Amino acid sequence: MLVKSMKTLADARNGALTAAYRAGLRSRTFQTASLNAPTTPHAVIPVTTRDGVRLRAKAYGPADGDVIVLIHGWSCSIEYWNPQINAFADRYRVICYDQRGHGASELGRTEPSKETLADDLSSVLDAALRPGQRAVLVGHSMGGITAQAWAERYPEQVERRAAEIVLLNSSPGEIRYDSDVLPLMNKPLTIAERPVTVLGRTVRVPMVLTEALVTAPVPLPGGWPANMALKARIMSRHATADEVDFALSIVRSCRPLSRGKHAAALADMDLSEATAAITVPTTVIAGKYDRLLPERMSRRIADALGKTGHLAAYHIWPTGHLGNIEAAHRFNAELASIARRAHPPRAVIAG
């Protein structure tokens, strides 16, 4: 019994050390000021999901300000949005949360799916928005997938909760077949230079190895080789050393088990019907050099929104997968324009 108790205590201490280490990765200081933790005071928003998972959620900026909700992507956290929190929290209420299993949010026992992504966002909006209040929803990568899944699962909430939506470096699904992040793994089998198709789909190989690398619940390494790999395969050659270091720190802070579970869920997630449920103006932004979720994925979203009449704009920027980091000034300018359109200045009534 004593040995068991000592082991339990040691496991708890190791877990705490691990959590502290990961929190340290998320709170590092960089020479680029916009990447550092916001100095703006924040409020903690208590959020418990429909299946009892507690999420870390924060609100920056004036309590009565118009709202921007930032939804991070796979393996990221609230801190991923530091450049946007620093840029907007002086005049907007900026809401951020850690998706389940990311950052300091619990993972829970329910397997990740488009339903959990949608339910969790709905829970955050319920907790963060006042009755009748509408926000600009900004989703990056898996965060954009989250916004689409939410619209599909809760179509009655879209116009009630969202004024506009921004989908950055995102996808309508079927990531398994379209990602170019590991090009040697994604070359199609050929016969006389023609791609082989199975049931009308190009075969990309070897998928087992590709998925094993992405979904394996093992810690990611740090150091210059990892930085070089991240810049070469995820970001663009224009990314600065600070931007690459910041991004790697954020991704490394994600718990390996959650990273693997969400990667497996995202690989086959089908959002083909989700776009039709988006009934507010939506801006789609893609990266010309995005290999993780290539521009052709964003184009499919934009084409679908164009058919329904809800495409506000489609942009292709010279970035990799992290558009709001690699082109922060340009992204912030675009978001500022969208926020002004969604939240026009209130009329002043003379006394």
Side-chain angles (χ1 to χ4, degrees):
M1 179 66 72
L2 178 60
V3 173
K4 184 176 181 180
S5 297
M6 292 178 64
K7 183 179 184 301
T8 300
L9 182 61
D11 289 345
R13 183 166 58 248
N14 289 336
L17 289 173
T18 299
Y21 177 72
R22 296 188 188 286
L25 287 172
R26 296 193 298 269
S27 59
R28 292 180 56 201
T29 301
F30 301 88
Q31 291 185 349
T32 306
S34 64
L35 299 175
N36 296 329
T39 57
T40 305
H42 70 269
V44 174
I45 304 175
V47 178
T48 301
T49 68
R50 285 159 173 73
D51 60 336
V53 172
R54 289 176 296 182
L55 303 181
R56 179 176 71 143
K58 295 182 178 181
Y60 296 85
D64 62 347
D66 292 319
V67 179
I68 298 173
V69 177
L70 304 176
I71 313 162
H72 71 72
W74 177 62
S75 296
C76 293
S77 64
I78 288 173
E79 288 77 10
Y80 174 77
W81 293 109
N82 281 353
Q84 284 65 55
I85 299 170
N86 285 319
F88 289 93
D90 62 331
R91 59 198 187 281
Y92 289 97
R93 188 68 162 174
V94 182
I95 308 295
C96 309
Y97 72 102
D98 288 337
Q99 301 233 39
R100 66 170 60 207
H102 293 69
S105 288
E106 297 175 346
L107 177 59
R109 296 184 178 181
T110 306
E111 290 298 311
S113 65
K114 66 178 182 179
E115 288 77 21
T116 62
L117 295 175
D119 289 348
D120 293 355
L121 175 56
S122 180
S123 295
V124 169
L125 296 178
D126 285 346
L129 300 183
R130 299 188 302 271
Q133 192 172 35
R134 302 167 74 214
V136 174
L137 306 186
V138 183
H140 169 255
S141 189
M142 185 181 77
I145 290 172
T146 298
Q148 294 174 74
W150 167 75
E152 180 180 39
R153 188 163 172 82
Y154 298 100
E156 75 286 354
Q157 293 185 12
V158 175
E159 293 184 39
R160 179 163 56 88
R161 289 301 200 191
E164 295 211 20
I165 293 175
V166 180
L167 302 177
L168 171 67
N169 301 116
S170 196
S171 168
E174 296 192 329
I175 295 173
R176 176 194 298 272
Y177 303 101
D178 267 345
S179 179
D180 294 332
V181 72
L182 297 174
L184 295 180
M185 310 299 177
N186 288 338
K187 289 182 179 179
L189 290 170
T190 61
I191 298 177
E193 302 303 318
R194 292 177 299 174
V196 171
T197 58
V198 177
L199 299 178
R201 193 187 307 279
T202 300
V203 178
R204 299 158 81 82
V205 293
M207 290 308 303
V208 172
L209 179 55
T210 303
E211 291 172 17
L213 290 171
V214 174
T215 63
V218 296
L220 293 177
W224 71 265
N227 280 46
M228 292 293 289
L230 181 69
K231 181 172 182 176
R233 302 313 310 165
I234 302 298
M235 304 176 78
S236 75
R237 63 185 179 87
H238 303 292
T240 68
D242 251 9
E243 291 166 353
V244 175
D245 202 17
F246 169 79
L248 183 61
S249 293
I250 294 294
V251 172
R252 290 185 65 220
S253 77
C254 185
R255 281 160 279 177
L257 180 61
S258 178
R259 186 179 67 244
K261 282 179 173 288
H262 279 83
L266 290 168
D268 288 318
M269 197 170 288
D270 180 12
L271 295 166
S272 58
E273 303 299 322
T275 311
I278 297 178
T279 53
V280 296
T282 300
T283 298
V284 181
I285 304 172
K288 181 178 179 180
Y289 306 111
D290 188 346
R291 299 176 183 86
L292 184 58
L293 301 182
E295 182 270 332
R296 59 182 175 272
M297 294 187 179
S298 290
R299 187 177 295 276
R300 292 206 299 271
I301 299 173
D303 288 345
L305 288 168
K307 291 178 181 178
T308 62
H310 294 103
L311 179 65
Y314 180 51
H315 303 293
I316 305 173
W317 292 350
T319 69
H321 186 63
L322 310 183
N324 63 303
I325 303 298
E326 300 172 64
H329 292 298
R330 186 172 184 177
F331 179 80
N332 291 347
E334 181 69 23
L335 181 54
S337 176
I338 292 169
R340 286 194 298 269
R341 184 171 66 224
H343 302 301
R346 301 183 182 94
V348 177
I349 301 176

